Amino acid sequence: MALFLRTRPGGDPARTRVAAAVAALVTVGAGLGLRAVATGDVAKYGGDALYTLLIFALVVLVAPRTTPPRAAAVALAVSWAVEFLQLTGVPAELSRHSVAARLVLGSTFNAPDLFWYVIGAIAGWLVARGRAAPTGEP
C-alpha cells in the first residue's frame, strides 16, 4: 500500500483518490487471499486489521486532503462502531439474509477484534505518514 497511497500536504487530490482506490482494491485482494490461505486466528484477526485498513483507504478516497492521523481515527471509530453494533443483534439478523451484510457488519461481538482494528488503523497511519514526507519527486 505504501506505493499507492499518497497523502502529501498540497498534493493532487485526484492522484490521491486514484491511489486510495488502488490501495482499497489491494486491501480487499489481500483480505480474500488471507482467507484463502489461512485459517483460525490468523485469518480472523488479520482480516480485522485489513478491514480497518480498507476503511482507512476509503476515508482517503472520499477526503483526499485528510491527514493520516485523522483518517486512522475515522477508520478506527467506524470499525469500533460496527463491532459495538454487533451487541444489538441487528448485524446478526442482517447477516442471516445477506452475504454482503455478513462481510461488512459481521454478526457477533468479539472484544479482541477491537485491538486488531487498532493495528489496522496504525498500519494505515504509518504507511500514509511515510508517503506524506517529501521525497524529491515532482
mmCIF file of all heavy atoms in Angstrom, residues 95-113:
data_model
loop_
_atom_site.group_PDB
_atom_site.id
_atom_site.type_symbol
_atom_site.label_atom_id
_atom_site.label_comp_id
_atom_site.label_asym_id
_atom_site.label_seq_id
_atom_site.Cartn_x
_atom_site.Cartn_y
_atom_site.Cartn_z
ATOM 1 N N SER A 95 -27.118 -10.394 8.648
ATOM 2 C CA SER A 95 -26.166 -11.362 8.105
ATOM 3 C C SER A 95 -26.825 -12.673 7.711
ATOM 4 O O SER A 95 -26.347 -13.373 6.827
ATOM 5 C CB SER A 95 -25.053 -11.641 9.120
ATOM 6 O OG SER A 95 -24.261 -10.499 9.294
ATOM 7 N N ARG A 96 -27.932 -12.997 8.369
ATOM 8 C CA ARG A 96 -28.667 -14.211 8.007
ATOM 9 C C ARG A 96 -29.299 -14.097 6.629
ATOM 10 O O ARG A 96 -29.571 -15.101 5.987
ATOM 11 C CB ARG A 96 -29.745 -14.509 9.041
ATOM 12 C CG ARG A 96 -29.217 -15.196 10.286
ATOM 13 C CD ARG A 96 -30.352 -15.773 11.117
ATOM 14 N NE ARG A 96 -30.991 -14.790 11.973
ATOM 15 C CZ ARG A 96 -30.517 -14.402 13.158
ATOM 16 N NH1 ARG A 96 -29.399 -14.913 13.604
ATOM 17 N NH2 ARG A 96 -31.150 -13.513 13.873
ATOM 18 N N HIS A 97 -29.521 -12.874 6.172
ATOM 19 C CA HIS A 97 -30.212 -12.655 4.908
ATOM 20 C C HIS A 97 -29.299 -12.170 3.789
ATOM 21 O O HIS A 97 -29.740 -12.126 2.641
ATOM 22 C CB HIS A 97 -31.334 -11.626 5.100
ATOM 23 C CG HIS A 97 -32.320 -12.029 6.151
ATOM 24 N ND1 HIS A 97 -33.216 -13.059 5.985
ATOM 25 C CD2 HIS A 97 -32.519 -11.562 7.402
ATOM 26 C CE1 HIS A 97 -33.940 -13.200 7.079
ATOM 27 N NE2 HIS A 97 -33.535 -12.309 7.956
ATOM 28 N N SER A 98 -28.058 -11.797 4.121
ATOM 29 C CA SER A 98 -27.205 -11.189 3.107
ATOM 30 C C SER A 98 -25.728 -11.483 3.370
ATOM 31 O O SER A 98 -25.225 -11.216 4.462
ATOM 32 C CB SER A 98 -27.429 -9.668 3.101
ATOM 33 O OG SER A 98 -26.443 -9.011 2.356
ATOM 34 N N VAL A 99 -25.087 -12.019 2.351
ATOM 35 C CA VAL A 99 -23.643 -12.252 2.450
ATOM 36 C C VAL A 99 -22.913 -10.920 2.579
ATOM 37 O O VAL A 99 -21.962 -10.785 3.350
ATOM 38 C CB VAL A 99 -23.137 -13.042 1.227
ATOM 39 C CG1 VAL A 99 -21.619 -13.147 1.224
ATOM 40 C CG2 VAL A 99 -23.767 -14.420 1.185
ATOM 41 N N ALA A 100 -23.365 -9.915 1.847
ATOM 42 C CA ALA A 100 -22.732 -8.591 1.910
ATOM 43 C C ALA A 100 -22.810 -8.022 3.326
ATOM 44 O O ALA A 100 -21.820 -7.486 3.847
ATOM 45 C CB ALA A 100 -23.382 -7.631 0.924
ATOM 46 N N ALA A 101 -23.963 -8.160 3.974
ATOM 47 C CA ALA A 101 -24.107 -7.675 5.353
ATOM 48 C C ALA A 101 -23.174 -8.434 6.282
ATOM 49 O O ALA A 101 -22.557 -7.847 7.176
ATOM 50 C CB ALA A 101 -25.550 -7.816 5.825
ATOM 51 N N ARG A 102 -23.035 -9.734 6.062
ATOM 52 C CA ARG A 102 -22.145 -10.523 6.909
ATOM 53 C C ARG A 102 -20.693 -10.076 6.735
ATOM 54 O O ARG A 102 -19.949 -9.971 7.699
ATOM 55 C CB ARG A 102 -22.285 -12.016 6.597
ATOM 56 C CG ARG A 102 -21.497 -12.885 7.558
ATOM 57 C CD ARG A 102 -21.761 -14.368 7.406
ATOM 58 N NE ARG A 102 -21.356 -14.870 6.106
ATOM 59 C CZ ARG A 102 -22.191 -15.376 5.202
ATOM 60 N NH1 ARG A 102 -23.477 -15.477 5.450
ATOM 61 N NH2 ARG A 102 -21.738 -15.817 4.045
ATOM 62 N N LEU A 103 -20.289 -9.778 5.502
ATOM 63 C CA LEU A 103 -18.916 -9.340 5.249
ATOM 64 C C LEU A 103 -18.643 -7.950 5.819
ATOM 65 O O LEU A 103 -17.563 -7.688 6.334
ATOM 66 C CB LEU A 103 -18.633 -9.346 3.748
ATOM 67 C CG LEU A 103 -18.566 -10.723 3.099
ATOM 68 C CD1 LEU A 103 -18.474 -10.583 1.584
ATOM 69 C CD2 LEU A 103 -17.408 -11.528 3.639
ATOM 70 N N VAL A 104 -19.612 -7.057 5.718
ATOM 71 C CA VAL A 104 -19.412 -5.675 6.159
ATOM 72 C C VAL A 104 -19.660 -5.507 7.655
ATOM 73 O O VAL A 104 -18.908 -4.818 8.342
ATOM 74 C CB VAL A 104 -20.318 -4.710 5.352
ATOM 75 C CG1 VAL A 104 -20.243 -3.301 5.898
ATOM 76 C CG2 VAL A 104 -19.922 -4.729 3.883
ATOM 77 N N LEU A 105 -20.704 -6.137 8.174
ATOM 78 C CA LEU A 105 -21.120 -5.902 9.554
ATOM 79 C C LEU A 105 -20.742 -7.011 10.527
ATOM 80 O O LEU A 105 -20.787 -6.800 11.740
ATOM 81 C CB LEU A 105 -22.644 -5.711 9.616
ATOM 82 C CG LEU A 105 -23.201 -4.547 8.807
ATOM 83 C CD1 LEU A 105 -24.722 -4.553 8.866
ATOM 84 C CD2 LEU A 105 -22.639 -3.231 9.310
ATOM 85 N N GLY A 106 -20.393 -8.170 10.019
ATOM 86 C CA GLY A 106 -20.133 -9.289 10.925
ATOM 87 C C GLY A 106 -21.434 -9.731 11.572
ATOM 88 O O GLY A 106 -22.524 -9.372 11.137
ATOM 89 N N SER A 107 -21.305 -10.508 12.637
ATOM 90 C CA SER A 107 -22.536 -10.978 13.281
ATOM 91 C C SER A 107 -22.464 -10.990 14.798
ATOM 92 O O SER A 107 -23.472 -10.774 15.452
ATOM 93 C CB SER A 107 -22.896 -12.380 12.774
ATOM 94 O OG SER A 107 -21.853 -13.279 13.070
ATOM 95 N N THR A 108 -21.296 -11.256 15.358
ATOM 96 C CA THR A 108 -21.204 -11.352 16.820
ATOM 97 C C THR A 108 -20.046 -10.511 17.350
ATOM 98 O O THR A 108 -18.979 -10.438 16.738
ATOM 99 C CB THR A 108 -20.992 -12.815 17.273
ATOM 100 O OG1 THR A 108 -19.845 -13.343 16.619
ATOM 101 C CG2 THR A 108 -22.198 -13.670 16.954
ATOM 102 N N PHE A 109 -20.279 -9.904 18.489
ATOM 103 C CA PHE A 109 -19.259 -9.089 19.139
ATOM 104 C C PHE A 109 -18.120 -9.978 19.628
ATOM 105 O O PHE A 109 -18.346 -11.049 20.181
ATOM 106 C CB PHE A 109 -19.869 -8.338 20.331
ATOM 107 C CG PHE A 109 -18.870 -7.501 21.081
ATOM 108 C CD1 PHE A 109 -18.504 -6.249 20.617
ATOM 109 C CD2 PHE A 109 -18.273 -7.977 22.245
ATOM 110 C CE1 PHE A 109 -17.576 -5.475 21.305
ATOM 111 C CE2 PHE A 109 -17.352 -7.218 22.932
ATOM 112 C CZ PHE A 109 -16.998 -5.958 22.466
ATOM 113 N N ASN A 110 -16.893 -9.522 19.413
ATOM 114 C CA ASN A 110 -15.711 -10.229 19.889
ATOM 115 C C ASN A 110 -14.709 -9.172 20.347
ATOM 116 O O ASN A 110 -14.120 -8.469 19.523
ATOM 117 C CB ASN A 110 -15.134 -11.090 18.760
ATOM 118 C CG ASN A 110 -13.971 -11.940 19.208
ATOM 119 O OD1 ASN A 110 -13.864 -12.321 20.370
ATOM 120 N ND2 ASN A 110 -13.083 -12.249 18.279
ATOM 121 N N ALA A 111 -14.519 -9.039 21.643
ATOM 122 C CA ALA A 111 -13.684 -7.969 22.201
ATOM 123 C C ALA A 111 -12.265 -7.917 21.617
ATOM 124 O O ALA A 111 -11.756 -6.823 21.362
ATOM 125 C CB ALA A 111 -13.636 -8.084 23.723
ATOM 126 N N PRO A 112 -11.583 -9.052 21.366
ATOM 127 C CA PRO A 112 -10.242 -8.949 20.787
ATOM 128 C C PRO A 112 -10.199 -8.256 19.425
ATOM 129 O O PRO A 112 -9.172 -7.710 19.031
ATOM 130 C CB PRO A 112 -9.782 -10.412 20.673
ATOM 131 C CG PRO A 112 -10.558 -11.125 21.731
ATOM 132 C CD PRO A 112 -11.895 -10.430 21.756
ATOM 133 N N ASP A 113 -11.314 -8.261 18.712
ATOM 134 C CA ASP A 113 -11.367 -7.555 17.424
ATOM 135 C C ASP A 113 -11.007 -6.083 17.593
ATOM 136 O O ASP A 113 -10.375 -5.487 16.711
ATOM 137 C CB ASP A 113 -12.756 -7.651 16.796
ATOM 138 C CG ASP A 113 -13.106 -9.052 16.325
ATOM 139 O OD1 ASP A 113 -12.222 -9.945 16.351
ATOM 140 O OD2 ASP A 113 -14.272 -9.261 15.935
#
